[in-house]
Amino acid sequence: QLQLVESGGGLVQPGGSLRLSCAASGFALDYYAIGWFRQAPGKEREGVSCISRRAGSTYYADSVKGRFTISRDNAKNTVYLQMNSLKPEDTAVYYCAALPTGYVYTCQLGSYDVWGQGTQVTVSS
């Protein structure tokens, strides 16, 4: 059974940093492109960053470019999202998700079909 588990969320002051982790179980992560998505209260879920199977391609939403970095360690079956210079508008539940094998790499939310339970990130003073 494919499972993804996010961790690393929490409360941080504006300008601070957090590193989110997305750990996979039940499958080898290197078969899948992985995306990070977030959903703020009252808003639709949106794509934040995605990484292809072998990290050859990455995508960042304009709102996080230059502040967030996605990476993967296939040996540890984990994908990371390093978030720096956090802003209050980054407050959301962050989810990681896997793109089905055989799909062309994309960061379109609707293409991802295995989701973690989410981790809360709150940026506030």
Side-chain angles (χ1 to χ4, degrees):
Q1 182 78 16
L2 271 59
Q3 281 194 321
L4 296 171
V5 178
E6 303 94 337
S7 62
L11 173 64
V12 64
Q13 292 187 342
S17 297
L18 285 173
R19 188 177 80 158
L20 304 183
S21 297
C22 172
S25 62
F27 65 102
L29 196 62
D30 57 358
Y31 282 100
Y32 297 85
I34 298 294
W36 283 99
F37 303 86
R38 67 187 180 186
Q39 188 164 19
K43 294 188 177 181
E44 293 187 353
R45 195 170 296 189
E46 63 176 359
V48 175
S49 182
C50 297
I51 188 165
S52 60
R53 287 175 55 190
R54 294 182 176 84
S57 295
T58 57
Y59 162 86
Y60 296 95
D62 288 343
S63 58
V64 307
K65 278 181 183 175
R67 300 188 298 122
F68 290 12
T69 302
I70 193 170
S71 62
R72 65 191 301 157
D73 186 339
N74 288 337
K76 294 184 178 179
N77 239 22
T78 302
V79 172
Y80 304 98
L81 185 68
Q82 178 67 42
M83 306 187 296
N84 298 328
S85 302
L86 282 161
K87 304 175 181 180
E89 51 263 44
D90 294 318
T91 295
V93 177
Y94 283 71
Y95 301 88
C96 65
L99 185 70
T101 56
Y103 273 51
V104 174
Y105 170 66
T106 178
C107 205
Q108 292 294 318
L109 184 151
S111 297
Y112 286 71
D113 71 346
V114 177
W115 292 80
Q117 82 290 349
T119 186
Q120 175 70 46
V121 171
T122 302
V123 185
S124 175
S125 55

